[in-house]
RNA sequence: GGAGAGAUGGCCGAGUAGGUCGAAGGCGCUCGCCUGCUAAGCGAGUAUACUGGGAAACCGGUAUCGAGGGUUCGAAUCCCUCUCUCUCCGCCA
């Protein structure tokens, strides 16, 4: 959520920056609602002040017969107040739900552009492997090796669900452990294991709701949502809290499964593990001082990249342009891993700073000093990494001409010493 | 699922025959005084949001005692609904 006062005072500038996201208009109607709200507020509060002081006087008068006329008068005033309050509540609600649907302002360093074609290459690491034979896509490798069972997954649940078996299941688990160990032991994150279902307030706090309900799996009674990313429960750990300056930065990492409806992507990536309704992810989440967020985003992105370096998987890091960043994001780096089976780079991590956008929605604040006013923290997060896609990258990059797959050396202890997956 | 208890400021905890309660008291914290170490003692301060005024320091108004609604001139206090927490029973990984 954007700061109402900031919008009020910088309406044109804000609108201009929002439009770099590609939409037509974002703030139509704000001015009218805002002015109407303040008018109603002023009127109602004046009447309440009157009522308070007269009621006080009535209370101090022993002989109530002397103040009968005032009681009657205040009855009228209260009636008026009630009407004004109702009107105000309506306007408030309109304004609030309006603000909840306005996306974040792009960061000043976010490249301006329309689509993913305008994203900017920041750096690349490793050489895309040239295999001496025809590379197989991971779905063929996985089925041939008997470690990925797409048919059974579809039978058990439906499309975009997969059954992992044997070394495949073990590899997924090994990756989760490798990532968690790296981030906790060397990058200084605290591991948390949050609930996988959250309530509406949590989804609103991080920005998934109210706008993107159709992307979520929802339970009806009680009304809970399956998390689409650990960002949601982990960021909401501190919803409604005022943190101490000394607490910052707070760094959490969490393994969770993620559940996404993938509405609107029918027919896209229908084969293999790339786009599933349920996938595993290790997520990095930080609560930082506003002055630190830019630097911490760089650091966090580096933490995610480190996983790929350990696994010796070639990747590149892209700065997403204003037209391609997500609703809540101010700035996003995507890390894309090279997939020889498909001869392309695919997103394996997305690292974003949200500025105070989520913190304002979720009311996560800190005090600069003991007596200071609470200020909003900045939140940043990123995948470190998407586990299923990492498994895909390993299968495709480490495949051998005989159809077997070598295990990257960093992963072997986690695989009980296994060096190669064979049929 | 059944029965009961409860939700007050950073924490603990008063306040329920409605008015002087944004809320006693204690702890914690901040600042000052005092004390030739640490400690103790004394004094003052110590919620948040919105809103009006002001360059600012700050001053005023309104709201908030789990959430929402109701009764009333007036509600932390009365009524209703909901949420959450705790205890006991049942069930269960």
């Amino acid at each position: 959520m954007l700061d109402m006062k900031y919008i009020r005072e910088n309406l044109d500038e804000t609108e201009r920056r929002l439009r770099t996201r590609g939409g037509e208009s974002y703030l139509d109607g704000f001015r009218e609602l805002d002015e109407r709200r303040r008018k109603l507020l002023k009127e109602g509060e004046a009447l309440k002040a009157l009522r308070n002081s007269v009621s006080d006087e009535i209370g101090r008068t022993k002989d109530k017969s002397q103040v009968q006329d005032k009681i009657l008068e205040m009855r009228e005033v209260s009636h008026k107040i009630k009407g004004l309050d109702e009107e105000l509540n309506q306007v408030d609600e309109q304004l609030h739900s309006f603000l909840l649907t306005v996306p974040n302002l792009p960061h000043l360093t976010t490249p301006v552009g329309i689509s993913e074609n305008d994203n900017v290459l920041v750096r690349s690491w490793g050489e895309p492997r040239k295999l001496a034979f025809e590379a197989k896509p991971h779905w063929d490798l996985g089925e041939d090796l008997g470690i990925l069972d797409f048919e059974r997954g579809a039978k058990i649940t439906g499309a975009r669900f997969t059954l992992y078996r044997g070394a495949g299941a073990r590899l997924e688990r090994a990756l989760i452990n490798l990532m968690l160990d790296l981030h906790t032991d060397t990058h200084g994150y605290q591991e948390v294991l949050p609930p996988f279902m959250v309530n509406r307030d949590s989804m609103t706090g991080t920005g998934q709701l109210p706008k993107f309900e159709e992307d979520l799996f929802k339970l009806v009674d009680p009304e809970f949502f399956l998390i689409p990313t650990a960002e949601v429960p982990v960021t909401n750990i501190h919803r409604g809290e005022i943190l101490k300056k000394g607490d910052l930065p707070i760094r959490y990492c969490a393994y969770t499964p993620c559940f996404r409806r993938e509405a609107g992507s029918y027919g896209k990536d229908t084969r293999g593990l790339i786009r599933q309704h349920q996938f595993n992810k290790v997520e990095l989440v930080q609560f930082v001082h506003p002055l630190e967020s830019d630097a911490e985003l760089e650091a966090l992105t580096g933490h995610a990249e480190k996983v790929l370096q350990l696994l010796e998987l070639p990747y590149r890091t892209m700065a997403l342009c204003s037209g391609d960043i997500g609703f809540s994001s101010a700035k996003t780096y995507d890390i894309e891993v090279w997939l020889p089976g498909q001869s392309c780079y695919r997103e394996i991590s997305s690292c974003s700073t949200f500025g105070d956008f989520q913190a304002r929605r979720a009311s996560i604040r800190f005090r600069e000093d003991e007596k200071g006013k609470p200020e909003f923290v900045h939140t940043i997060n990123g995948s470190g990494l998407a586990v299923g896609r990492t498994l895909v990258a390993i299968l495709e990059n480490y495949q051998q001409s005989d159809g077997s797959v070598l295990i990257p050396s960093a992963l072997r202890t986690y695989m009980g010493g296994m060096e190669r997956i064979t049929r």
Side-chain angles (χ1 to χ4, degrees), chain A residues 116 119-126 305 308 313-319 333-338 344-349:
Chain A
E116 60 180 310
N119 294 342
V120 174
L121 175 68
V122 177
R123 62 184 157 266
S124 58
W125 186 93
E305 289 178 17
L308 292 170
L313 292 167
Y315 67 85
R316 65 181 189 184
T317 301
M318 310 291 291
Y333 291 118
D334 270 8
I335 303 171
E336 300 178 342
V337 69
W338 175 253
C344 64
Y345 283 99
R346 288 304 299 252
E347 176 189 342
I348 198 167
S349 172

Side-chain angles (χ1 to χ4, degrees), chain A residues 164-306:
Chain A
Y164 289 62
R165 283 179 185 278
R170 177 83 186 246
L171 185 55
E172 183 91 358
R173 178 160 58 90
L175 284 167
I176 293 166
N177 287 335
L178 171 86
M179 293 178 197
L180 286 175
D181 286 352
L182 173 70
H183 298 313
T184 55
D185 293 343
T186 73
H187 294 152
Y189 291 76
Q190 181 183 54
E191 181 176 349
V192 293
L193 182 60
F196 301 160
M197 299 178 207
V198 300
N199 58 31
R200 182 169 283 275
D201 283 347
S202 291
M203 282 296 184
T204 306
T206 34
Q208 282 72 22
L209 290 179
K211 248 191 144 172
F212 307 103
E213 187 155 346
E214 71 277 7
D215 295 337
L216 301 169
F217 284 107
K218 178 179 173 181
L219 283 76
V220 172
D221 185 21
E223 188 194 55
F224 290 149
F225 298 86
L226 296 185
I227 56 170
T229 158
E231 163 192 343
V232 179
V234 176
T235 304
N236 278 281
I237 288 174
H238 295 297
R239 172 156 49 87
E241 296 184 9
I242 300 176
L243 305 164
K244 293 196 185 72
K245 188 187 181 188
D247 295 339
L248 304 178
I250 296 173
R251 300 190 172 97
Y252 292 126
C253 68
Y255 152 72
T256 71
C258 304
F259 304 92
R260 298 185 182 178
R261 289 278 292 275
E262 296 297 345
S265 58
Y266 304 114
K268 236 188 199 172
D269 304 314
T270 49
R271 299 200 71 182
L273 284 180
I274 291 293
R275 195 176 298 275
Q276 298 276 289
H277 286 311
Q278 174 189 321
F279 63 95
N280 295 307
K281 183 157 58 68
V282 169
E283 182 77 0
L284 306 172
V285 177
Q286 295 198 32
F287 302 81
V288 303
H289 190 284
L291 295 175
E292 304 293 329
S293 61
D294 289 351
E296 288 297 335
L297 173 64
E298 302 300 321
L300 181 143
T301 306
H303 299 153
E305 289 178 17
K306 184 73 186 171

Side-chain angles (χ1 to χ4, degrees), chain A residues 17-36:
Chain A
R17 281 177 66 190
L18 284 172
R19 282 188 191 177
T20 63
R21 284 174 167 274
E24 297 274 294
S25 67
Y26 290 88
L27 299 172
D28 277 359
F30 171 83
R31 181 85 78 196
E32 293 69 29
L33 271 177
D34 180 54
E35 278 171 5
R36 190 143 162 258

Side-chain angles (χ1 to χ4, degrees), chain A residues 335-359:
Chain A
I335 303 171
E336 300 178 342
V337 69
W338 175 253
L339 296 183
Q342 294 151 66
S343 293
C344 64
Y345 283 99
R346 288 304 299 252
E347 176 189 342
I348 198 167
S349 172
S350 193
C351 303
S352 302
T353 178
F354 303 90
D356 62 9
F357 186 83
Q358 291 182 328

